Amino acid sequence: MKGLYAYIIRRLILLIPVVLGVMLITFILMHSIPGNPVAYLGGSGKLPPEAVEKLVKIYGLDQPLFIQFFLYLANLFQGNLGTSISVNPGANITDLIVTAFPHTVELTIYSAIIMILVGIPAGVISAKKRNSLTDNVTRVGALIGVSMPVFWLGIMLQIIFGVVFPIFPILWAGIHEPAVKVTGIYLIDGFISLDFRTIVDSIMHYALPAIALGALSLSIVTRMVRSSMLEVLGEDYIRTARAKGCSENATIYRHALRNSLIPATTVIGLQIGGLLGGAVLTETVFAIPGIGRLITDAIMRSDYPLVMAGVLFIAIIYILSNLVVDVLYAYLDPRIRY
Amino acid sequence: MTVNVLLSIRNLKTHFFTEEGVVQALDGVDLEVYEKEIIGLVGETGSGKSVTALSVMRLIPQPGFIVDGEIFFKGKPLHLLSEEQMLRIRGKEITMIFQDPMNALNPVFTVGNQIAETILLHNDVTYKEAFNQSIELLRKLNIPKPERIVNSYPHELSGGMRQRIQIAIGLACQPALLIADEPTTALDATIEVQVLELIKKLRDEFNTSIMLITHDLGVIAEMCDRVVVMYAGNIVEKTDVKTIFKQPLHPYTQALLEAIPYAEKKKKSRLTTIPGTVPNLINPPSGCRFHPRCKHAMKVCKTLKPMLLEEQPGHFVSCFLYSKNKEAAESKGGVFEPLPDRIIY
Amino acid sequence: MRKSVKYSLALIIVLSLAAGGLILLSPSRAQAGETTLKIAQAGDPITLDPYDSWDSASNDIIVNIYDTLVMYVPSTLNFRPGLAVGWQILPNTTIIFNIRRNVTFHNGDPMTPYDVWWSLQRVLPDAKRSALFNSTYINNATANPHGYQWAELVDRESWVWLLYENIKDIRMADIGFWGNTTYTGDNATAGDGWAEIVVEFDAPFAPGLSLFSYAATSIVNWRVATELGPTGMKFAPVGAGTGPFAFNSWILNYKVVLDKWPNYWGQVAHVDHVEYQTILSASSRTLAITTGLVDLLYPEASDWYTLKDDPNIETWQEAGLGTRYIGFQCMQNVTGRMFGILSDSTVRKALSYAINYDEIINGEQFLNGLGTRLTQPVVPAIEWAYNSSIKPENEGGILPYYNLTKANETLNSLGLLDVDGDGIRDIKGWASNSTDDFTLIYGYNIGNALRERVGYLLQDAFAQIGVKLIVQGDPWDVFLYTNLAAGVYDLWFLGWGPDYIDPDTYFYPLFHSSFGAVYDNDTGEYTWGTNAAGVNISTVDYLLDAARSETNQTLRAEMYMNATNILINEYVWGWCYIPDNTYAWRTTISGFTHSPLLQFDDLEYVVKTAGAGAGVPIEIIGIVIGVIVAVAVISGIAYWRKGSAA
């Protein structure tokens, strides 16, 4: 266990160079894309050159690139993410991200729940009843899930479950806001303040977006679990378990599942990272004010500091989720020790 | 010595229905195991030893099926029992331990957990009691520091230790029959001896019958009371251990014994082998399945299938070279001339 | 086993009842009686500070938070008193506003003339601001402790700023009442008499009044604005306005919520809240209104007929304020142009007959019925200057319509015949540098699919009258600033939107010779002018100048109509269409006034009746979720116990 803690601390320290690298690459990429945030400030018209000059000076865009980068880092280490230039000129970026990020996190949580609670059992059942009708249906379903575009699925879900059978609200907008906002993740806030309406509303409003967002990952996880399950079922210790007198279910769920989850965990961890960063289309279709839309806007309008801050957040969460996966590994597989 | 039959197998046929064709892995096996005896199953790889054992356990992997035959265990017809009833026999009445201790234990559970699981499955005890019982069991098996071992994971133990743990799992419920499928193949010589000693001791202590599957005749000589020699899904010879070494009847057994390298043999002599390979069981040779490799092969061997008949008291053999089979074949018009294209070695 | 079944059942019942009950008791249910008007927006507002707003999404919100001096009678473009109860327009370039009394801001502060003056001063360009404003506000540490400069840049290129360049001075009239005291916000009190605000223009400018109807000239609470500064005003202008709704909250990318202001000086709003939801996806917006999640929106053109057929949705369609036209290059001497031939009005007339107006307006590939034929420079919404008797010829009017026979006849009458028999008319002798074939270039900006399709539509029609048309697409800046200015195109597609609500904006920049392209002798380059067609008719120039300084509306209307007749007879444009304003709202709301300005104005008149709520009641959902959770928990426990026992 001590080794594990040391490992976690080591990984957290490693986070710093990784984040710096991410920042540097983002910075270089952003500045190599043609476009100038100041150009978007005049609305439909053009700003007079004096105004542009002044703005460029205010934001330090006339400095050499490396100086701009180090100035940015200096601000960053003082906890100052700066202000948005063109997306929401003058707005504090920390505020923007702190408002937007919890929604994406909550969406990701729901998608991950669907991915895990549906994907793993589906993969297991599919492997257990190999080549049966269930298996074939699951496999075709997974194939469809992998190949379906997110926005199309979103619109279809809206039409089917929002219009034809009005069970779920078609948009996230209109969600009941909790009186107590501690985390900004409404589900958790609802539990903290024991406000059941918030909890129910959160579940109802996130249902469709979570399905739309999670369908791809769900399919990937299902396929992954199925194939690793099939592999594990051929192992000797499964025969041993059967020879002991374990029933089919006990063999699969007690002996095979945990082993087959070891490779699946990697995929799940990566998928969660992908869900966090890839929710733009879902957020657009379901009108969720999440981080994906914020960053897309920022990229479209060359809002350098906002892009940097958004990428920073996603990178950190991505790294942390992978750290969680690595720790989970150690739990799932006693052969791995840090 | 009482001779109560514990397990009897009659005309067992297990086939695998693969996409390439039907693999006739067992083609009419007759076998009985008496109480408190160690019976050895020998034969080359692919001769059907393991399939016989798995058929008894009813654990034949897909796409294999028992297509014919009967298996009686303590008078119960195993081939007719439901899966649920089988669950109560596996692990409790009949257990099996496997060749590769590396993979035979689940890597994600502690050893104690895996032993206790077997106890829990078949006894009405709590997990804690089961866990304590498993420590006791390890102690009985003379395994050092059982309290520490039970909390270890399989990868933390040596191969021999793992095999002993497998044996402990096998014996956790004091079964009537333990099937050991090449238990020592993967172990080095010193550990092998220890494990075999352990198995032998268990027979004496727990009164368990043991079916020992191996291809090592040395192990047979060391351990077994009786020996069954298998070839390509058939039993070719079945007798007690002394007879088989002194007076082997079947040409295959003879060839097997000749192939044993003895230390006192001249150093220059080459290693004796049986020419040819184990036949493809999708299209097995007609008649006696050994005839393409047999130096005594006759025309009858190609046309008729010999039966396992008692040539001498307690000595069963299936070969046309011996009187009972000869008589039976003659009545069917078998021709007893040497096969012209037989292998001579 | 029996026992555990009992426990399970009890747990299911308790959990589901608890969930349902807690929802019933939760505080949010208490507010269920309040009405919220929900509006779907295609984008977030940029700012809530009227001072620098220029986009539609911001404007739709700002008009409901703030009031202007001059407002419109709902659903028309006729002025009505706003925060000014009356005004005088003096012939000597001056407007005097009488400021309304007993108006309170959303934070309870009374509105004083000082607020009006301060707000208008803030809008002015730096150089035009009064010394008083600069000394009492900008340079005054007490009044402006944070040293806010009200960024000099944000709206400087938008039309508002250009317009206020014409203003010479805005001042409080300290006539008599105020004596010698320096009048500042601090000693101003409400209701201390009729206050007047005097606005003086540099030159006579009849449309000046309309400038004070813009959101940009909204009156803000100067104390609040000073306290909040530019950022605060932009994102959370609490208490800054006097309008029918007060700002409540804005969540970026999500929604802006306004609350009813019960002390509004005019009609107090019927609905308790207005919610502007940002829904980027067009299909989601349409679904949102069809399912009742929102009450009001600007419908998508592609979903227009779906919404129109929906019995729960009411739609509104009328000609808007923008104009779309096919411009002809009327100037002969612009270098770089292939032919001077379009300087002949008869040729332009012939081409006007070859434009399929009906297809462009009603064709599925084009506007699909969401437009109205443009008959003159001005749009029908400006009733007093619009000559409704001008109609296409096939409807009994004088305007060209799609008639290739007539086009052919006109060209034949000019002697433009196909001499060499290749199917294309030859124009030898018309211009010294001409080639034989009658070839024209149509220009449009790349990316505008409609304009591209119009080009090919024209190409087909022109081919039938023996004119070869080259369709040339260019990027927007090349199209406008380079090629159009240099006269590369013979004809092109362009649109125009009004800068202010006055016919002047539809005439002066487009047809006055002073707005044509300017040739720089030194660089040899042309600078683009809004009068890209190069219309240069002295009578029109005279009429437009006269109408600008005339204050009598009837006389002005006459002048514009005269100019219109000249322009139509000169065939300077192919008069194409006016894009229609469209609104859609649910039948559960009534009293929505569809402003011709295409904005969600006058929401205080909207009444919302609670319709049958779509979807499953939240209590039932709560109970269902409770049961599901309970079952999941129980089966989980059961499985876990079985697993550990097995």
Side-chain angles (χ1 to χ4, degrees), chain B residues 24-180:
Chain B
Q24 302 168 20
L26 291 187
D27 188 27
V29 166
D30 289 278
L31 180 66
E32 49 288 311
V33 180
Y34 301 108
E35 278 183 3
K36 296 176 201 167
E37 78 162 348
I38 300 183
I39 183 168
L41 257 67
V42 278
E44 284 168 277
T45 309
S47 60
K49 299 166 297 183
S50 295
V51 176
T52 310
L54 289 173
S55 297
V56 170
M57 297 293 284
R58 292 261 309 272
L59 281 178
I60 306 148
Q62 294 275 337
F65 295 95
I66 297 173
V67 293
D68 197 7
E70 293 165 335
I71 307 167
F72 288 97
F73 176 77
K74 285 184 175 171
K76 272 180 276 184
L78 291 189
H79 58 285
L80 295 178
L81 290 187
S82 70
E83 184 60 28
E84 209 165 296
Q85 288 167 311
M86 256 335 273
L87 290 181
R88 267 176 259 136
I89 287 180
R90 271 186 224 134
K92 183 172 171 67
E93 305 276 355
I94 311 174
T95 58
M96 189 165 174
I97 60 176
F98 297 97
Q99 173 182 348
D100 187 2
M102 202 70 181
N103 291 328
L105 293 177
N106 196 327
V108 300
F109 297 111
T110 59
V111 160
N113 185 320
Q114 298 190 49
I115 302 172
E117 189 191 6
T118 319
I119 299 171
L120 265 178
L121 279 168
H122 301 290
N123 298 290
D124 192 16
V125 288
T126 63
Y127 180 77
K128 208 168 178 186
E129 286 164 6
F131 198 80
N132 290 334
Q133 279 183 29
S134 56
I135 298 177
E136 282 310 307
L137 185 63
L138 292 185
R139 192 166 284 140
K140 248 187 220 170
L141 295 180
N142 284 341
I143 288 169
K145 294 182 190 163
E147 292 85 358
R148 220 196 60 199
I149 297 282
V150 287
N151 285 320
S152 313
Y153 286 95
H155 68 275
E156 295 166 340
L157 302 176
S158 67
M161 190 59 85
R162 268 182 257 174
Q163 197 59 291
R164 282 179 230 193
I165 299 296
Q166 265 215 77
I167 292 168
I169 291 174
L171 293 172
C173 295
Q174 297 173 7
L177 175 64
L178 174 74
I179 303 173

